[in-house]
Amino acid sequence: MYVKTRARMRAVVSRLRRDSGMVTSEYAMGIIAAVAFAVLLYEVVTSGQVKTELQNIVKRALSARM
């Protein structure tokens, strides 16, 4: 019984070790996607209309009465 259990555990561990992470190309694609999203977000936040709205929100928050 103990031998069968150990054999099953070895099989499970072996399967987990074979697929333990991303390969270099997957890391590269992940980094490219993250940078593209960051650039898009930066462009949206620094656009004129959004920048004005954010400034208005901050002004209203700072001028609020406590």
Side-chain angles (χ1 to χ4, degrees), residues 27-60:
Y27 279 118
M29 292 304 293
I31 290 170
I32 290 170
V35 169
F37 181 72
V39 168
L40 178 68
L41 185 61
Y42 177 78
E43 290 296 323
V44 168
V45 170
T46 58
S47 69
Q49 185 177 3
V50 173
K51 196 173 189 178
T52 303
E53 288 298 321
L54 288 174
Q55 287 175 346
N56 289 337
I57 291 170
V58 170
K59 283 179 185 176
R60 276 187 273 142

Side-chain angles (χ1 to χ4, degrees), residues 6-19:
R6 276 187 83 177
R8 285 184 186 161
M9 289 301 292
R10 282 186 186 152
V12 169
V13 170
S14 175
R15 275 185 268 152
L16 290 175
R17 285 185 181 166
R18 280 186 278 164
D19 191 22

Side-chain angles (χ1 to χ4, degrees), residues 1-11:
M1 174 109 171
Y2 178 72
V3 174
K4 288 182 182 179
T5 303
R6 276 187 83 177
R8 285 184 186 161
M9 289 301 292
R10 282 186 186 152

